[in-house]
Amino acid sequence: MAADLGYIAILLSLVLAFYAIFCFILYLKTKNYRLFDSAKGSVYATAFLTTVATLCLEWLLYLGDFSIKYVYQYTSTDLPWFYRLTALWAGNDGSLLLWAWLLALYASLVVKQNKIKEMTPIVMIILMINSLFFLFIMAFLTNPFEKMTMFAVEGRGLNPMLQSPGMIIHPVTTYLGYVGFAIPFAFAIAALVINRSDDEWIKVTRGWTIIAWMFLSIGNLYGALWAYEELGWGGYWAWDPVENASFMPWLTGSAFLHSVMVQERKNMLKIWNIVLIIITYVLTLFGTYLVRSGILQSVHAFGSSSLGKFFLAFTVVVLICSLGIMFSRIKLLKGDKEFESFISKESSFLLNNLILVGMTFATFWGTIFPLISEAVTGNKITVSIPFFNTVNAPLGLVMVLLMGICPLIAWRKSSTKNLLANFTVPFLASLIFASIAYILGLRKIYVLMGFTLTVFAIAATLWDVVKGILIRRKITGESIFIATFRLLVRNRRRYGGYVIHLGILMMILGIIGSQGYDIARQVTMEVGETITIKDYIITYEDLKQKRSGTNMIIFAQLNVTNNGQSLGEMTPHKIFYKTQKQPSTEVAIYSTWIEDLYIILAGWEMDGTANFKILVNPLVKWIWTGGYILIIGTIFALWPGRGSLIGGKYTRRVLGHLNSRGVEQNYAG
Amino acid sequence: MSKRLRLIAAILLFTGAMGYLIFNGMRQGVGQLLTIEEALAKNIKENVTFIRMEGTVDYTTAFYDPLKPQLVFDLTDGSNKIPVIFEDVKPDNFDAGYPIIVEGRFLEDGRFRADKLLVKCPSKYEEESK
């Protein structure tokens, strides 16, 4: 019943998406507003119907109705209810439905806001074509509500590796990010279609872009955290094609976020911005293709399915059409101003863009080179972690340096005096840091360099805030507290960006630390035995078992002290599930700001002798904490109200007003 | 115009640096992808840093010594077999019968020493339609 309802909802929304496109096109021709209203209604209806379909599938998953193939494949009766619900995105069909649903919700929000009246119909046509693609796939190729041909009492169950908090957050946030980039993409194309080269589409979609970018950041980060805690997924980042697939749009999305600022302020880089948003959106589609086609070997991929060619075809069509539209309007976009100076914010933004796009290209190259090689020479090869690290690490370091320099140099042209005032303190701070670190024994040159550059960038960012506070105090005579508060809150866009930078720099510290100085050891211990690793003294007290629901848990009791201080008990364990063939190894992690003690129970003998793999991973906590700071920064920057829209200086605000009015007049006339 | 020239020079410099980085990276991180049949025919290139193979496990040959830890098994494509040795913790889903990816090198005695053993993300792995 619910299955039929769900499938009918998909079919109906497919029809209505068609209808909406048709009406929007007619509206553009006739300017009859009733057509617009009707189309708008059908956009809402697709949102409603895809919601119904999603709820139907969730309901079936919740009930555990194994007469539905999808439910049978991904759940079982002993699975807790919230994991049954997460099975919506455990498989191919369900995650397509999630995608279509999110896109439909986003689309109805866009049409409701109707921010740029002349663009909305075209934006909607573009979004609905995308919806149509996903709905079509579900309606005719892989129906999430497909029924089983035979009767089953029990489902195959959700893989234990997916039974983790990561499953609740990572896929949804990644999809929210992926789908979110459709909105700025649609606006960019719409602006071109109606021959507008101003930056209104950028202003209107700024919130969408930043939120999509934030979700993609969270998605990537939670994926990393999940892989870190899950044995056999190669640590927090393994440059797997599927990981790369969501890293690439993140990189180009980051580049886009920065380069649009140059267009807003200086009316430059118009073509570049269009190209960036097209690439970003196409990369999200390409990522979906990689994940679903089975064309590359990956641990995280869906099985090879015939869907791949449809995704590839759609990706190529989107790419060709959007580039085609761009080239047909190229005259409109030309006529950029020239760069006035090499040492200016514009040029450092351009450089940061080059680096980000360079990293994207390198990652793309490494990801698809196996395909090229096979197609061209017939040699089947594979590109592994060292490639990505050797290419992206130096680029990343230049990026870090730019993150220090960029915010501090002025628009147009920076004077020597300006440079000295901004950089003396951060430069000295990083020099002092480097000397201390060297004296304390940090001798690996790349690690030392990486840390020093990151400290420089952090110091430069903080120093800029301090200077701002001091100047504000001097002018207004406010107390430090009030001056700080007002400075930050009234320039939320700028300082939100700074907070995001600090979050990313923290992550980079964590990445450098954990790559540069990790320790790994294999030990076999009898009950009662004690070993020492670094300053940790670990005593293996006992091997026990307990029941948890229908599952059996075998766990090792370890007593751990660090420098004589007790850290309590750590219990790495294995869970044996009733419906799964394999157990699930759950690592025990004791995390501090300095390092993580990471213990895996590898196996045991009948007499209780057990083998452990023990790792000490420095600074990993900084990576996750940096992620939270990034979220805080994003929310801070986007918080609506005074101070969120412009760079803070009153003159800029006035200029901004004048500009936007000028724009309106232009288009009225 | 000289500004434009300088801009072009900067972009050229950047492209050159990128080219070098990629070229350099390709010398270090590229492995050869072989089917089990090809690997047995010893079609191995000299200049690759590692070999990657995909196959399934012959569970009658699989043995795990948790105290070393060491995992030995035959990797098979149904007809051909390659003995594999992996000196690390056995991945959880190893026993589940899902396809396995190994990365490493052949030892003198013909066994394959895997540095990396990955099991395909099984829940998402959909069985071929029957």
Side-chain angles (χ1 to χ4, degrees):
Chain A
M1 175 59 199
D4 297 327
L5 182 64
Y7 188 62
I8 291 169
I10 289 175
L11 288 179
L12 275 180
S13 39
L14 181 73
V15 174
L16 284 171
F18 255 121
Y19 175 76
I21 294 172
F22 182 69
C23 279
F24 279 124
I25 293 173
L26 272 187
Y27 166 73
L28 287 173
K29 288 233 186 302
T30 62
K31 298 290 172 198
N32 180 346
Y33 200 76
R34 283 174 57 198
L35 285 166
F36 182 85
D37 265 349
S38 178
K40 190 170 157 183
S42 50
V43 172
Y44 291 151
T46 55
F48 173 74
L49 288 166
T50 45
T51 309
V52 168
T54 310
L55 287 177
C56 282
L57 190 55
E58 285 290 34
W59 176 244
L60 293 166
L61 287 165
Y62 180 78
L63 289 181
D65 182 344
F66 300 125
S67 68
I68 305 304
K69 196 173 163 202
Y70 190 80
V71 180
Y72 163 77
Q73 278 176 331
Y74 296 107
T75 62
S76 54
T77 44
D78 62 338
L79 197 66
W81 65 270
F82 50 92
Y83 284 130
R84 289 213 290 276
L85 295 186
T86 62
L88 175 66
W89 47 85
N92 215 341
D93 316 351
S95 59
L96 284 173
L97 179 57
L98 177 66
W99 186 305
W101 180 45
L102 293 176
L103 187 57
L105 291 183
Y106 281 6
S108 57
L109 253 174
V110 170
V111 76
K112 183 171 187 308
Q113 289 177 335
N114 193 9
K115 278 202 175 144
I116 310 177
K117 302 224 161 15
E118 52 178 337
M119 277 191 208
T120 305
I122 300 161
V123 170
M124 293 317 294
I125 291 170
I126 295 164
L127 291 177
M128 289 328 258
I129 289 174
N130 282 279
S131 286
L132 212 57
F133 171 72
F134 285 95
L135 291 167
F136 174 82
I137 297 256
M138 277 187 291
F140 300 114
L141 299 168
T142 142
N143 171 15
F145 297 100
E146 192 181 330
K147 299 211 168 91
M148 294 277 285
T149 41
M150 40 189 187
F151 178 74
V153 237
E154 181 58 285
R156 290 226 302 258
L158 188 65
N159 183 271
M161 281 184 151
L162 298 184
Q163 296 179 33
S164 141
M167 183 63 179
I168 299 169
I169 300 164
H170 162 71
V172 185
T173 47
T174 310
Y175 279 123
L176 281 168
Y178 264 29
V179 181
F181 280 116
I183 313 292
F185 166 77
F187 270 91
I189 301 295
L192 288 180
V193 169
I194 59 168
N195 289 318
R196 282 185 52 175
S197 68
D198 62 292
D199 61 355
E200 200 184 356
W201 70 272
I202 290 173
K203 291 207 165 82
V204 165
T205 55
R206 177 176 164 258
W208 286 102
T209 312
I210 294 180
I211 287 173
W213 180 85
M214 179 188 76
F215 277 124
L216 197 54
S217 312
I218 301 174
N220 273 322
L221 207 64
Y222 254 94
L225 177 61
W226 189 4
Y228 177 67
E229 290 174 352
E230 204 69 60
L231 188 65
W233 278 357
Y236 59 80
W237 199 264
W239 298 107
D240 183 273
V242 171
E243 294 168 1
N244 295 346
S246 57
F247 184 51
M248 289 187 285
W250 185 85
L251 287 172
T252 54
S254 307
F256 177 72
L257 278 176
H258 288 91
S259 68
V260 290
M261 285 190 247
V262 181
Q263 184 172 346
E264 280 182 275
R265 302 265 186 155
K266 309 288 296 180
N267 209 20
M268 298 192 312
L269 302 181
K270 286 177 196 163
I271 300 175
W272 179 247
N273 286 331
I274 302 262
V275 170
L276 273 183
I277 193 62
I278 292 174
I279 290 179
T280 304
Y281 186 59
V282 166
L283 280 175
T284 66
L285 294 175
F286 180 72
T288 318
Y289 160 67
L290 278 189
V291 177
R292 285 162 212 270
S293 62
I295 190 163
L296 290 166
Q297 284 186 350
S298 157
V299 238
H300 307 293
F302 292 83
S304 18
S305 66
S306 54
L307 284 186
K309 55 178 184 282
F310 291 95
F311 272 95
L312 186 61
F314 186 63
T315 310
V316 171
V317 168
V318 170
L319 183 66
I320 291 176
C321 290
S322 32
L323 287 180
I325 293 172
M326 191 189 82
F327 282 114
S328 74
R329 301 290 192 275
I330 203 89
K331 272 194 190 136
L332 191 73
L333 299 168
K334 271 191 180 160
D336 276 359
K337 273 194 228 162
E338 294 235 342
F339 283 90
E340 290 173 51
S341 159
F342 262 81
I343 305 172
S344 66
K345 206 162 238 167
E346 301 85 294
S347 55
S348 67
F349 270 19
L350 185 67
L351 195 56
N352 108 351
N353 265 249
L354 280 180
I355 301 280
L356 285 168
V357 171
M359 287 172 89
T360 313
F361 178 75
T363 309
F364 184 75
W365 177 263
T367 309
I368 65 148
F369 186 73
L371 302 178
I372 299 177
S373 165
E374 194 184 339
V376 176
T377 63
N379 277 340
K380 284 188 184 174
I381 59 127
T382 167
V383 178
S384 189
I385 299 171
F387 167 80
F388 295 100
N389 284 343
T390 43
V391 181
N392 282 332
L395 290 173
L397 286 184
V398 178
M399 194 66 237
V400 169
L401 183 65
L402 285 174
M403 282 170 82
I405 296 174
C406 243
L408 270 63
I409 50 182
W411 293 94
R412 294 185 63 202
K413 189 167 185 167
S414 277
S415 63
T416 322
K417 200 178 141 207
N418 169 307
L419 291 179
L420 277 177
N422 284 332
F423 290 112
T424 314
V425 171
F427 180 73
L428 288 177
S430 55
L431 210 64
I432 292 169
F433 167 83
S435 330
I436 294 176
Y438 186 81
I439 292 165
L440 289 178
L442 188 68
R443 296 292 152 84
K444 288 186 183 172
I445 182 71
Y446 277 113
V447 178
L448 186 62
M449 228 168 77
F451 277 147
T452 308
L453 283 173
T454 317
V455 167
F456 169 76
I458 293 174
T461 310
L462 292 177
W463 177 237
D464 194 50
V465 179
V466 169
K467 271 192 336 191
I469 296 169
L470 292 180
I471 292 170
R472 193 181 169 94
R473 273 198 76 192
K474 216 166 156 187
I475 296 173
T476 61
E478 293 161 342
S479 72
I480 288 210
F481 179 76
I482 292 183
T484 311
F485 181 79
R486 290 203 174 140
L487 179 80
L488 298 184
V489 168
R490 291 190 181 165
N491 300 277
R492 281 201 290 281
R493 186 169 169 178
R494 174 180 190 148
Y495 292 111
Y498 279 22
V499 174
I500 294 172
H501 273 195
L502 289 176
I504 288 180
L505 290 167
M506 268 183 92
M507 285 183 215
I508 289 169
L509 282 181
I511 293 167
I512 298 171
S514 58
Q515 295 292 323
Y517 275 95
D518 55 324
I519 299 172
R521 265 184 61 186
Q522 296 279 358
V523 289
T524 302
M525 290 202 266
E526 284 171 25
V527 174
E529 208 177 317
T530 293
I531 57 136
T532 308
I533 289 175
K534 258 192 95 182
D535 299 327
Y536 296 98
I537 299 171
I538 301 163
T539 311
Y540 173 35
E541 289 183 330
D542 206 353
L543 189 72
K544 290 184 174 169
Q545 65 174 15
K546 66 176 179 196
R547 233 168 217 301
S548 155
T550 53
N551 307 329
M552 179 67 82
I553 298 174
I554 307 241
F555 64 101
Q557 269 182 347
L558 301 170
N559 193 319
V560 185
T561 63
N562 185 19
N563 280 325
Q565 217 177 359
S566 173
L567 306 182
E569 204 158 74
M570 289 176 73
T571 53
H573 56 277
K574 279 183 196 284
I575 308 176
F576 292 83
Y577 296 87
K578 206 175 122 199
T579 46
Q580 298 289 334
K581 281 181 261 182
Q582 77 255 21
S584 151
T585 304
E586 303 292 326
V587 299
I589 300 173
Y590 184 86
S591 185
T592 66
W593 289 108
I594 297 170
E595 61 202 10
D596 282 11
L597 178 64
Y598 184 110
I599 305 181
I600 305 159
L601 174 62
W604 57 83
E605 293 285 301
M606 293 310 281
D607 64 355
T609 310
N611 185 278
F612 298 95
K613 187 170 179 184
I614 303 177
L615 299 108
V616 179
N617 302 321
L619 302 186
V620 172
K621 197 175 182 177
W622 290 66
I623 304 177
W624 320 130
T625 315
Y628 293 118
I629 291 181
L630 181 149
I631 298 171
I632 294 170
T634 312
I635 295 170
F636 184 76
L638 279 179
W639 201 266
R642 194 177 157 206
S644 68
L645 290 174
I646 36 214
K649 296 256 164 56
Y650 302 106
T651 46
R652 272 187 219 135
R653 192 151 127 199
V654 175
L655 279 176
H657 271 298
L658 286 177
N659 275 341
S660 63
R661 271 169 55 198
V663 165
E664 275 162 28
Q665 277 160 8
N666 281 346
Y667 283 94
Chain B
M1 220 47 210
S2 80
K3 255 177 211 153
R4 174 148 240 148
L5 275 179
R6 266 156 63 184
L7 191 70
I8 290 169
I11 290 173
L12 279 180
L13 193 73
F14 175 76
T15 319
M18 277 301 303
Y20 170 76
L21 280 175
I22 287 181
F23 176 75
N24 192 31
M26 294 298 283
R27 287 197 314 203
Q28 296 177 43
V30 174
Q32 198 179 1
L33 202 72
L34 292 175
T35 63
I36 291 169
E37 210 172 342
E38 287 164 343
L40 283 173
K42 298 264 179 275
N43 281 329
I44 296 158
K45 294 248 166 22
E46 288 279 315
N47 55 355
V48 292
T49 42
F50 63 91
I51 289 157
R52 186 173 184 149
M53 295 186 294
E54 186 178 338
T56 50
V57 177
D58 177 353
Y59 287 98
T60 55
T61 60
F63 177 73
Y64 179 55
D65 180 351
L67 299 187
K68 275 182 181 170
Q70 188 191 63
L71 178 64
V72 288
F73 61 92
D74 284 0
L75 190 72
T76 171
D77 58 2
S79 45
N80 306 297
K81 281 181 186 175
I82 289 176
V84 175
I85 169 168
F86 178 60
E87 291 181 322
D88 205 335
V89 180
K90 180 170 81 169
D92 287 332
N93 37 16
F94 178 80
D95 292 321
Y98 294 109
I100 281 185
I101 299 168
V102 287
E103 264 182 33
R105 305 221 105 220
F106 278 97
L107 299 170
E108 303 261 309
D109 59 7
R111 289 186 301 167
F112 187 80
R113 198 194 132 94
D115 304 318
K116 231 189 331 194
L117 191 157
L118 302 166
V119 183
K120 281 207 156 187
C121 193
S123 176
K124 287 182 174 179
Y125 186 81
E126 292 173 5
E127 281 174 46
E128 311 273 314
S129 42
K130 281 142 265 180

